[in-house]
Amino acid sequence: MMAKTLKISIIGIVWSYLYFYYANILFLFLWGFDLFSAESWQKIALFWDYGGVIREGKDYAFLLTLLVTPIIWILGWRLLCRVSPVKIITWPFEAYNRHIVRKYGAQSGKRIILKNMGKGTNVEESIKIATEAVKPKPEQDADKIREAIKNKLSKAQKN
């Protein structure tokens, strides 16, 4: 229960910040209206108090956008709460990965072909050959031991 509340709270804080930041930029760009400025809201209040009338399409678009903004905010919050937190966190990385794949992966089917990469050689075979060259042969060792014993015995018999 606590984890779910924490998840909803964190998503709400981040979503609200991002949503209203970009909504404010949209309102400023299109109508010069700052959502977070008391002065902008006072202008609207004065407009209505002095019998303001909506006449143009631009005014209708402003009013409709102003009314729809909180609805989209709540619906977006609900939608994000249904999505797995892992998907939310990994989304930027996946989006970047898709961008790179589209950018470099779709270059008319060009592929890199590596040539002369030791064709026909096997790593296990080369290790076996290298160890065989270093390893002493058992027959030679036995012959050396026999010769050394024979020499010692012959010296001992002479003394």
Side-chain angles (χ1 to χ4, degrees):
M1 182 69 175
M2 182 69 167
K4 188 173 184 178
T5 305
L6 182 65
K7 172 189 168 188
I8 291 170
S9 300
I10 291 173
I11 289 173
I13 290 167
V14 173
W15 167 246
S16 298
Y17 177 79
L18 291 174
Y19 179 75
F20 285 114
Y21 175 77
Y22 288 110
N24 194 37
I25 289 174
L26 177 75
F27 275 96
L28 282 171
F29 179 72
L30 295 177
W31 297 289
F33 181 80
D34 189 357
L35 289 173
F36 304 111
S37 170
E39 188 179 311
S40 293
W41 288 101
Q42 287 172 351
K43 284 181 186 177
I44 291 177
L46 288 173
F47 177 77
W48 286 113
D49 288 345
Y50 289 110
V53 178
I54 299 174
R55 293 190 181 121
E56 299 177 16
K58 185 178 178 181
D59 297 335
Y60 282 109
F62 173 73
L63 183 63
L64 180 66
T65 307
L66 198 59
L67 293 174
V68 169
T69 297
I71 296 169
I72 294 173
W73 171 60
I74 292 170
L75 290 176
W77 191 354
R78 288 186 64 193
L79 177 72
L80 286 173
C81 286
R82 292 182 185 158
V83 178
S84 168
V86 173
K87 282 193 173 192
I88 294 171
I89 292 170
T90 59
W91 178 81
F93 302 106
E94 291 173 358
Y96 178 74
N97 190 29
R98 284 191 303 270
H99 168 70
I100 293 299
V101 166
R102 268 188 265 123
K103 184 176 179 181
Y104 295 112
Q107 293 182 357
S108 68
K110 292 181 183 176
R111 301 279 185 221
I112 297 173
I113 300 172
L114 301 175
K115 296 182 178 181
N116 300 329
M117 293 295 295
K119 188 175 179 182
T121 60
N122 190 354
V123 175
E124 293 174 2
E125 289 176 15
S126 61
I127 292 173
K128 189 175 180 180
I129 291 169
T131 55
E132 289 295 326
V134 175
K135 198 188 288 184
K137 302 225 181 330
E139 313 87 48
Q140 292 175 350
D141 287 344
D143 289 340
K144 287 180 184 177
I145 293 171
R146 285 187 195 113
E147 190 67 36
I149 293 172
K150 185 178 174 183
N151 288 339
K152 284 189 178 189
L153 287 176
S154 63
K155 285 182 184 179
Q157 286 177 357
K158 290 181 183 177
N159 291 334

Coordinates of all heavy atoms in Angstrom, one line a residue, residues 13-75:
I13 N 4.1 14.0 -9.2 CA 5.0 15.2 -9.1 C 5.8 15.4 -10.4 O 5.8 16.5 -10.9 CB 6.0 15.0 -7.9 CG1 5.2 15.1 -6.6 CG2 7.1 16.0 -7.9 CD1 6.0 14.7 -5.4
V14 N 6.4 14.3 -10.9 CA 7.2 14.5 -12.1 C 6.3 14.8 -13.3 O 6.6 15.7 -14.1 CB 8.0 13.2 -12.4 CG1 8.6 13.2 -13.8 CG2 9.0 12.9 -11.3
W15 N 5.1 14.1 -13.4 CA 4.2 14.4 -14.5 C 3.7 15.8 -14.4 O 3.6 16.5 -15.5 CB 3.0 13.4 -14.5 CG 1.9 13.8 -15.4 CD1 0.6 14.1 -15.0 CD2 1.9 13.9 -16.8 NE1 -0.1 14.4 -16.1 CE2 0.6 14.3 -17.2 CE3 2.8 13.6 -17.8 CZ2 0.2 14.4 -18.5 CZ3 2.5 13.8 -19.1 CH2 1.2 14.2 -19.5
S16 N 3.3 16.3 -13.3 CA 2.7 17.6 -13.1 C 3.8 18.7 -13.5 O 3.5 19.6 -14.2 CB 2.3 17.9 -11.7 OG 1.3 17.0 -11.3
Y17 N 5.0 18.5 -13.0 CA 6.0 19.4 -13.4 C 6.2 19.5 -14.9 O 6.2 20.6 -15.4 CB 7.3 19.1 -12.7 CG 8.5 20.0 -13.0 CD1 8.6 21.2 -12.4 CD2 9.4 19.6 -14.0 CE1 9.6 22.1 -12.8 CE2 10.4 20.5 -14.3 CZ 10.6 21.7 -13.7 OH 11.6 22.6 -14.1
L18 N 6.4 18.4 -15.5 CA 6.7 18.4 -17.0 C 5.5 18.9 -17.8 O 5.6 19.7 -18.7 CB 7.1 17.0 -17.4 CG 8.4 16.5 -16.9 CD1 8.6 15.0 -17.3 CD2 9.6 17.3 -17.5
Y19 N 4.3 18.4 -17.4 CA 3.1 18.8 -18.1 C 2.9 20.3 -18.1 O 2.6 20.9 -19.1 CB 1.9 18.0 -17.6 CG 0.6 18.4 -18.3 CD1 0.4 17.9 -19.6 CD2 -0.3 19.2 -17.7 CE1 -0.8 18.2 -20.2 CE2 -1.5 19.6 -18.4 CZ -1.7 19.1 -19.6 OH -2.8 19.4 -20.3
F20 N 2.9 20.8 -16.9 CA 2.6 22.3 -16.7 C 3.7 23.1 -17.3 O 3.5 24.3 -17.7 CB 2.2 22.6 -15.3 CG 0.8 22.2 -14.9 CD1 0.6 21.2 -14.0 CD2 -0.3 22.7 -15.6 CE1 -0.6 20.8 -13.7 CE2 -1.5 22.3 -15.3 CZ -1.7 21.3 -14.3
Y21 N 4.9 22.6 -17.2 CA 6.1 23.4 -17.8 C 5.8 23.5 -19.3 O 5.9 24.7 -19.9 CB 7.4 22.7 -17.6 CG 8.6 23.3 -18.2 CD1 9.2 24.4 -17.7 CD2 9.1 22.7 -19.4 CE1 10.2 25.0 -18.3 CE2 10.2 23.3 -20.0 CZ 10.8 24.5 -19.5 OH 11.8 25.0 -20.1
Y22 N 5.5 22.4 -20.0 CA 5.3 22.5 -21.5 C 4.0 23.2 -21.8 O 3.9 23.8 -22.9 CB 5.4 21.1 -22.1 CG 6.9 20.7 -22.1 CD1 7.3 19.6 -21.3 CD2 7.8 21.3 -22.9 CE1 8.6 19.2 -21.3 CE2 9.1 20.9 -22.9 CZ 9.5 19.9 -22.1 OH 10.8 19.5 -22.1
A23 N 3.0 23.0 -21.0 CA 1.7 23.7 -21.2 C 1.9 25.2 -21.1 O 1.3 26.0 -21.9 CB 0.6 23.2 -20.2
N24 N 2.7 25.6 -20.1 CA 2.9 27.0 -20.0 C 3.7 27.6 -21.2 O 3.4 28.7 -21.6 CB 3.7 27.3 -18.7 CG 3.7 28.7 -18.3 OD1 2.7 29.5 -18.5 ND2 4.8 29.2 -17.8
I25 N 4.6 26.8 -21.7 CA 5.4 27.3 -22.9 C 4.4 27.4 -24.1 O 4.5 28.4 -24.8 CB 6.5 26.3 -23.2 CG1 7.6 26.4 -22.2 CG2 7.1 26.5 -24.6 CD1 8.7 25.4 -22.3
L26 N 3.5 26.5 -24.2 CA 2.5 26.5 -25.3 C 1.6 27.8 -25.1 O 1.4 28.5 -26.1 CB 1.6 25.2 -25.3 CG 0.5 25.2 -26.3 CD1 1.1 24.9 -27.7 CD2 -0.5 24.1 -25.9
F27 N 1.1 28.0 -23.9 CA 0.2 29.2 -23.7 C 1.0 30.5 -24.0 O 0.5 31.4 -24.6 CB -0.3 29.2 -22.3 CG -1.6 28.4 -22.2 CD1 -1.5 27.0 -21.7 CD2 -2.8 28.9 -22.5 CE1 -2.7 26.3 -21.6 CE2 -4.0 28.2 -22.4 CZ -3.9 26.8 -21.9
L28 N 2.2 30.5 -23.5 CA 3.0 31.7 -23.7 C 3.3 32.0 -25.2 O 3.2 33.1 -25.7 CB 4.4 31.7 -23.0 CG 4.3 31.9 -21.5 CD1 5.7 31.6 -20.8 CD2 4.0 33.4 -21.2
F29 N 3.6 30.9 -25.9 CA 3.9 31.0 -27.4 C 2.7 31.4 -28.2 O 2.8 32.3 -29.1 CB 4.5 29.7 -27.9 CG 4.8 29.7 -29.3 CD1 5.9 30.4 -29.8 CD2 4.1 29.0 -30.2 CE1 6.3 30.4 -31.1 CE2 4.4 29.0 -31.6 CZ 5.5 29.7 -32.0
L30 N 1.6 30.8 -27.9 CA 0.4 31.0 -28.7 C -0.4 32.3 -28.3 O -0.9 33.0 -29.2 CB -0.5 29.8 -28.7 CG 0.0 28.5 -29.3 CD1 -0.9 27.4 -29.2 CD2 0.3 28.7 -30.8
W31 N -0.6 32.5 -27.0 CA -1.4 33.6 -26.6 C -0.8 34.6 -25.7 O -1.4 35.6 -25.2 CB -2.7 33.0 -25.9 CG -3.5 32.2 -26.8 CD1 -4.3 32.6 -27.8 CD2 -3.6 30.8 -26.8 NE1 -4.8 31.5 -28.5 CE2 -4.5 30.4 -27.8 CE3 -3.1 29.8 -26.0 CZ2 -4.8 29.1 -28.1 CZ3 -3.4 28.5 -26.2 CH2 -4.3 28.1 -27.3
G32 N 0.5 34.4 -25.3 CA 1.1 35.3 -24.4 C 0.5 35.2 -23.0 O 0.6 36.2 -22.2
F33 N 0.0 34.1 -22.6 CA -0.7 33.9 -21.3 C 0.2 33.0 -20.5 O 0.6 31.9 -20.9 CB -2.0 33.2 -21.5 CG -2.8 33.0 -20.3 CD1 -3.5 34.0 -19.7 CD2 -2.8 31.7 -19.7 CE1 -4.2 33.8 -18.5 CE2 -3.5 31.5 -18.5 CZ -4.2 32.5 -17.9
D34 N 0.5 33.5 -19.3 CA 1.4 32.7 -18.3 C 0.5 32.0 -17.3 O -0.2 32.7 -16.6 CB 2.4 33.6 -17.6 CG 3.4 32.9 -16.8 OD1 3.3 31.6 -16.7 OD2 4.3 33.5 -16.3
L35 N 0.5 30.7 -17.3 CA -0.4 29.9 -16.4 C -0.1 30.2 -14.9 O -0.9 30.1 -14.1 CB -0.3 28.4 -16.7 CG -0.9 27.9 -17.9 CD1 -0.5 26.4 -18.1 CD2 -2.4 28.1 -17.9
F36 N 1.1 30.6 -14.6 CA 1.6 30.7 -13.3 C 1.7 32.2 -12.8 O 2.2 32.5 -11.8 CB 2.9 30.1 -13.1 CG 2.9 28.6 -13.4 CD1 3.6 28.1 -14.6 CD2 2.2 27.7 -12.7 CE1 3.5 26.8 -14.9 CE2 2.1 26.4 -13.0 CZ 2.8 25.9 -14.2
S37 N 1.2 33.1 -13.6 CA 1.2 34.5 -13.3 C -0.2 35.0 -12.9 O -1.1 34.9 -13.6 CB 1.7 35.3 -14.5 OG 1.5 36.7 -14.3
A38 N -0.2 35.6 -11.7 CA -1.5 36.2 -11.2 C -2.0 37.3 -12.2 O -3.2 37.5 -12.3 CB -1.3 36.7 -9.8
E39 N -1.0 38.0 -12.7 CA -1.4 39.1 -13.6 C -2.2 38.6 -14.9 O -3.1 39.3 -15.3 CB -0.1 39.8 -14.1 CG -0.3 41.1 -14.9 CD 1.0 41.7 -15.2 OE1 1.9 41.9 -14.3 OE2 1.2 42.1 -16.4
S40 N -1.8 37.5 -15.4 CA -2.5 36.9 -16.6 C -3.9 36.5 -16.2 O -4.8 36.8 -17.0 CB -1.7 35.7 -17.1 OG -0.5 36.1 -17.7
W41 N -4.1 35.9 -15.0 CA -5.4 35.5 -14.6 C -6.3 36.7 -14.3 O -7.5 36.7 -14.5 CB -5.3 34.6 -13.4 CG -4.8 33.2 -13.8 CD1 -3.5 32.8 -13.6 CD2 -5.5 32.2 -14.4 NE1 -3.4 31.5 -14.1 CE2 -4.6 31.1 -14.6 CE3 -6.8 32.0 -14.9 CZ2 -5.0 29.9 -15.2 CZ3 -7.2 30.9 -15.5 CH2 -6.3 29.8 -15.6
Q42 N -5.7 37.8 -13.8 CA -6.4 39.1 -13.5 C -6.9 39.7 -14.8 O -8.0 40.2 -14.9 CB -5.5 40.1 -12.8 CG -5.3 39.7 -11.3 CD -4.3 40.5 -10.6 OE1 -3.7 41.4 -11.2 NE2 -4.2 40.4 -9.3
K43 N -6.1 39.6 -15.9 CA -6.5 40.1 -17.2 C -7.8 39.4 -17.7 O -8.7 40.0 -18.2 CB -5.4 39.9 -18.2 CG -4.3 40.9 -18.1 CD -3.3 40.7 -19.2 CE -2.0 41.6 -19.0 NZ -1.0 41.3 -20.0
I44 N -7.8 38.0 -17.5 CA -9.0 37.3 -17.9 C -10.2 37.7 -17.0 O -11.3 37.9 -17.6 CB -8.7 35.8 -17.8 CG1 -7.7 35.3 -18.8 CG2 -10.0 35.0 -17.9 CD1 -7.4 33.9 -18.8
A45 N -10.0 37.8 -15.7 CA -11.1 38.2 -14.8 C -11.6 39.6 -15.2 O -12.9 39.8 -15.3 CB -10.6 38.2 -13.4
L46 N -10.7 40.6 -15.5 CA -11.2 41.9 -15.9 C -11.9 41.8 -17.3 O -12.9 42.5 -17.5 CB -10.0 42.8 -16.0 CG -9.4 43.3 -14.7 CD1 -8.1 44.1 -15.0 CD2 -10.4 44.1 -13.9
F47 N -11.5 41.0 -18.2 CA -12.1 40.8 -19.5 C -13.6 40.4 -19.3 O -14.5 40.9 -19.9 CB -11.3 39.8 -20.3 CG -11.9 39.5 -21.6 CD1 -11.8 40.4 -22.7 CD2 -12.6 38.3 -21.9 CE1 -12.4 40.1 -23.9 CE2 -13.2 38.0 -23.1 CZ -13.1 38.9 -24.1
W48 N -13.8 39.4 -18.4 CA -15.1 38.9 -18.2 C -16.0 39.9 -17.3 O -17.2 40.1 -17.6 CB -15.1 37.6 -17.4 CG -14.7 36.4 -18.3 CD1 -13.5 35.7 -18.2 CD2 -15.4 35.9 -19.4 NE1 -13.5 34.8 -19.2 CE2 -14.6 34.8 -19.9 CE3 -16.6 36.2 -20.0 CZ2 -15.0 34.1 -21.1 CZ3 -16.9 35.5 -21.2 CH2 -16.1 34.4 -21.6
D49 N -15.3 40.6 -16.4 CA -16.1 41.5 -15.5 C -16.6 42.7 -16.4 O -17.6 43.3 -16.0 CB -15.2 42.1 -14.4 CG -14.9 41.0 -13.3 OD1 -15.7 40.0 -13.3 OD2 -14.0 41.2 -12.5
Y50 N -15.9 43.1 -17.4 CA -16.3 44.3 -18.2 C -17.1 43.8 -19.4 O -17.1 44.6 -20.4 CB -15.1 45.1 -18.6 CG -14.5 45.9 -17.4 CD1 -13.3 45.6 -16.8 CD2 -15.3 46.9 -16.8 CE1 -12.8 46.3 -15.7 CE2 -14.8 47.6 -15.7 CZ -13.6 47.3 -15.2 OH -13.1 48.0 -14.1
G51 N -17.6 42.6 -19.4 CA -18.5 42.2 -20.4 C -17.8 41.7 -21.7 O -18.3 41.9 -22.8
G52 N -16.7 41.1 -21.5 CA -15.9 40.6 -22.6 C -16.7 39.5 -23.4 O -17.4 38.7 -22.9
V53 N -16.5 39.5 -24.7 CA -17.3 38.6 -25.6 C -16.2 37.9 -26.4 O -15.3 38.5 -27.0 CB -18.2 39.4 -26.5 CG1 -18.9 38.4 -27.5 CG2 -19.3 40.1 -25.7
I54 N -16.4 36.6 -26.6 CA -15.5 35.8 -27.4 C -16.0 35.9 -28.8 O -17.1 35.5 -29.1 CB -15.5 34.3 -26.9 CG1 -15.0 34.2 -25.5 CG2 -14.7 33.4 -27.8 CD1 -15.1 32.8 -24.9
R55 N -15.1 36.4 -29.7 CA -15.6 36.7 -31.1 C -14.8 35.8 -32.1 O -15.3 35.4 -33.1 CB -15.4 38.1 -31.4 CG -16.3 39.0 -30.6 CD -16.3 40.4 -31.1 NE -17.2 41.2 -30.3 CZ -16.9 42.3 -29.6 NH1 -15.6 42.7 -29.6 NH2 -17.7 42.9 -28.9
E56 N -13.5 35.7 -31.9 CA -12.6 35.1 -32.9 C -12.3 33.6 -32.6 O -12.5 33.2 -31.4 CB -11.3 35.8 -32.9 CG -11.4 37.3 -33.3 CD -10.1 38.0 -33.3 OE1 -9.0 37.3 -33.2 OE2 -10.1 39.2 -33.3
G57 N -11.9 32.9 -33.6 CA -11.5 31.5 -33.4 C -10.3 31.4 -32.4 O -10.2 30.4 -31.7
K58 N -9.5 32.4 -32.4 CA -8.3 32.4 -31.5 C -8.8 32.4 -30.1 O -8.2 31.7 -29.2 CB -7.4 33.6 -31.8 CG -6.2 33.6 -31.1 CD -5.3 34.8 -31.5 CE -4.1 34.9 -30.6 NZ -3.2 36.1 -31.0
D59 N -9.8 33.1 -29.8 CA -10.4 33.2 -28.4 C -11.0 31.9 -28.0 O -10.9 31.4 -26.9 CB -11.4 34.3 -28.3 CG -10.8 35.7 -28.6 OD1 -9.6 35.9 -28.3 OD2 -11.6 36.6 -29.0
Y60 N -11.7 31.3 -29.0 CA -12.4 29.9 -28.7 C -11.3 28.9 -28.5 O -11.4 28.0 -27.6 CB -13.2 29.5 -29.9 CG -14.6 30.2 -29.9 CD1 -14.9 31.1 -30.9 CD2 -15.6 29.9 -29.0 CE1 -16.1 31.8 -30.9 CE2 -16.8 30.5 -29.0 CZ -17.1 31.4 -30.0 OH -18.3 32.1 -30.0
A61 N -10.2 28.9 -29.3 CA -9.1 28.0 -29.1 C -8.5 28.2 -27.7 O -8.2 27.2 -27.0 CB -8.1 28.1 -30.2
F62 N -8.3 29.4 -27.3 CA -7.7 29.7 -26.0 C -8.6 29.1 -24.9 O -8.1 28.5 -24.0 CB -7.5 31.2 -25.8 CG -7.0 31.6 -24.4 CD1 -5.7 31.3 -24.0 CD2 -7.9 32.2 -23.5 CE1 -5.3 31.7 -22.8 CE2 -7.5 32.5 -22.3 CZ -6.2 32.3 -21.9
L63 N -9.9 29.4 -24.9 CA -10.8 29.0 -23.9 C -10.9 27.4 -23.9 O -10.8 26.8 -22.8 CB -12.2 29.5 -24.2 CG -13.3 29.2 -23.1 CD1 -12.9 29.7 -21.8 CD2 -14.6 29.7 -23.5
L64 N -11.0 26.8 -25.1 CA -11.0 25.3 -25.1 C -9.7 24.7 -24.5 O -9.8 23.8 -23.8 CB -11.2 24.9 -26.6 CG -11.3 23.4 -26.8 CD1 -12.5 22.8 -26.1 CD2 -11.3 23.0 -28.2
T65 N -8.6 25.3 -24.9 CA -7.3 24.8 -24.4 C -7.2 25.0 -22.9 O -6.7 24.1 -22.2 CB -6.1 25.5 -25.1 OG1 -6.3 25.4 -26.5 CG2 -4.8 24.9 -24.7
L66 N -7.7 26.1 -22.4 CA -7.7 26.4 -21.0 C -8.6 25.4 -20.2 O -8.2 24.9 -19.1 CB -8.1 27.8 -20.7 CG -7.8 28.4 -19.4 CD1 -6.3 28.4 -19.2 CD2 -8.3 29.8 -19.3
L67 N -9.7 25.0 -20.8 CA -10.6 24.1 -20.1 C -10.1 22.6 -20.2 O -10.3 21.8 -19.3 CB -12.0 24.2 -20.7 CG -12.7 25.5 -20.5 CD1 -14.1 25.5 -21.3 CD2 -13.0 25.7 -19.0
V68 N -9.4 22.3 -21.3 CA -9.0 20.9 -21.5 C -7.7 20.6 -20.8 O -7.4 19.4 -20.5 CB -8.9 20.6 -23.1 CG1 -8.2 19.3 -23.4 CG2 -10.2 20.7 -23.7
T69 N -6.9 21.6 -20.5 CA -5.6 21.4 -19.9 C -5.7 20.6 -18.6 O -4.9 19.6 -18.4 CB -4.9 22.8 -19.6 OG1 -4.7 23.4 -20.9 CG2 -3.6 22.6 -18.9
P70 N -6.6 20.9 -17.6 CA -6.6 20.1 -16.4 C -7.1 18.7 -16.7 O -6.7 17.7 -16.0 CB -7.5 20.8 -15.4 CG -8.2 21.9 -16.2 CD -7.4 22.1 -17.5
I71 N -8.0 18.5 -17.6 CA -8.5 17.2 -18.0 C -7.4 16.3 -18.5 O -7.2 15.1 -18.1 CB -9.7 17.3 -19.0 CG1 -10.8 18.0 -18.3 CG2 -10.1 15.9 -19.5 CD1 -11.9 18.4 -19.3
I72 N -6.6 16.8 -19.4 CA -5.5 16.1 -20.0 C -4.4 15.8 -18.9 O -3.9 14.7 -18.9 CB -4.8 16.9 -21.2 CG1 -5.8 17.0 -22.3 CG2 -3.5 16.2 -21.6 CD1 -5.3 17.9 -23.4
W73 N -4.2 16.7 -18.0 CA -3.3 16.5 -16.9 C -3.7 15.3 -16.0 O -2.9 14.4 -15.8 CB -3.2 17.8 -16.0 CG -2.5 17.6 -14.7 CD1 -1.2 17.3 -14.6 CD2 -3.0 17.8 -13.4 NE1 -0.8 17.2 -13.3 CE2 -1.9 17.6 -12.5 CE3 -4.2 18.2 -12.9 CZ2 -2.1 17.7 -11.2 CZ3 -4.4 18.3 -11.6 CH2 -3.3 18.1 -10.7
I74 N -5.0 15.2 -15.7 CA -5.5 14.1 -14.8 C -5.5 12.8 -15.6 O -5.1 11.8 -15.1 CB -6.9 14.4 -14.3 CG1 -6.9 15.6 -13.3 CG2 -7.6 13.2 -13.7 CD1 -8.2 16.1 -12.9
L75 N -5.9 12.8 -16.9 CA -5.9 11.6 -17.7 C -4.5 11.1 -17.9 O -4.2 9.9 -17.8 CB -6.6 11.8 -19.0 CG -8.1 12.0 -19.0 CD1 -8.6 12.4 -20.4 CD2 -8.8 10.8 -18.4

